[in-house]
């Protein structure tokens, strides 16, 4: 399966302060029967989580989402029907693959600020502007310029 990227923009920017608020897409209720084109997942405005106060043994990264995947499997994840993944809980952040920029690192990690990573949002994250996740749960994209070499690039999913 592939995650399609339809355009690239300059992703590196200087963050003088970490973000405090973000936009989040949550599942408000389970869809019923046929697809309803008028149904929209609600967009909420929420605080960005802080790094937890823990022992620091698990390296963590704060990610800024650059791209969100829209996947046909999302319809199944919104359903309460049994599937290969548990359903997205009501009021849960919508699940999806992402490409993100690392904007902060806590602990010792191979990742650094400015790195671009892919994530499936199994641990945390999904359709929200920022997420704190284990550095081990993401895969570094080694060559961002290769991704931006044309207007439609396909990236193999993990």
């Amino acid at each position: 399966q592939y995650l399609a990227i339809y355009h690239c923009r300059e992703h590196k920017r200087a963050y003088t302060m970490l973000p405090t608020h973000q936009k989040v897409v949550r599942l408000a209720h389970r869809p019923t029967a046929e697809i309803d084109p008028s149904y929209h997942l609600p967009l909420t405005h929420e605080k960005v989580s802080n790094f937890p106060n823990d022992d620091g043994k698990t390296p963590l990264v704060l990610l800024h989402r650059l791209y969100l995947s829209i996947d046909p499997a999302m319809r199944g994840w919104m359903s309460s029907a049994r599937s290969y993944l548990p359903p997205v809980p009501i009021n849960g952040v919508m699940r999806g693959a992402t490409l993100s920029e690392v904007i902060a690192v806590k602990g010792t990690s191979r990742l650094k600020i400015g790195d671009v990573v892919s994530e499936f949002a199994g641990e945390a994250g999904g359709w929200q502007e920022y997420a704190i996740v284990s550095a081990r749960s993401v895969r570094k994209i080694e060559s961002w310029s290769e991704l931006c070499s044309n207007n439609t690039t396909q990236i193999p999913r993990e």
Side-chain angles (χ1 to χ4, degrees):
Q1 291 190 350
Y2 289 88
L3 169 68
I5 305 300
Y6 292 99
H7 74 284
C8 288
R9 63 177 174 83
E10 180 59 38
H11 73 279
K12 292 191 177 186
R13 65 177 108 155
Y15 283 89
T16 55
M17 288 188 349
L18 292 180
T20 58
H21 289 81
Q22 67 174 333
K23 296 175 195 146
V24 179
V25 176
R26 294 189 175 275
L27 180 64
H29 61 82
R30 304 223 179 270
T32 56
E34 297 300 315
I35 294 174
D36 178 0
S38 67
Y39 174 74
H40 299 284
L41 293 168
L43 180 66
T44 62
H45 297 270
E46 302 176 14
K47 286 189 169 197
V48 175
S49 299
N50 293 318
F51 282 115
N53 291 325
D54 58 8
D55 60 11
K57 289 182 181 177
T58 302
L60 300 172
V61 290
L62 173 60
L63 303 178
H64 175 229
R65 304 300 192 207
L66 301 173
Y67 296 98
L68 304 172
S69 170
I70 299 176
D71 191 316
M74 297 173 95
R75 175 75 177 174
W77 301 335
M78 291 189 287
S79 166
S80 60
R82 189 175 173 158
S83 179
Y84 64 98
L85 288 174
V88 173
I90 300 299
N91 295 319
V93 176
M94 194 59 211
R95 180 183 299 136
T98 63
L99 282 180
S100 304
E101 178 184 6
V102 175
I103 62 169
V105 179
K106 179 182 179 188
T108 304
S109 171
R110 71 196 186 318
L111 299 171
K112 62 186 185 308
I113 293 172
D115 284 347
V116 174
V117 298
S118 66
E119 180 202 20
F120 178 67
E123 176 185 323
W127 282 26
Q128 57 187 27
E129 281 185 283
Y130 302 94
I132 294 174
V133 301
S134 164
R136 296 180 186 116
S137 71
V138 298
R139 183 175 62 92
K140 182 178 176 182
I141 302 298
E142 295 298 333
S143 180
W144 179 255
S145 60
E146 287 179 25
L147 295 179
C148 297
S149 62
N150 60 44
N151 285 338
T152 2
T153 304
Q154 293 204 348
I155 304 162
R157 267 214 240 154
E158 295 181 46

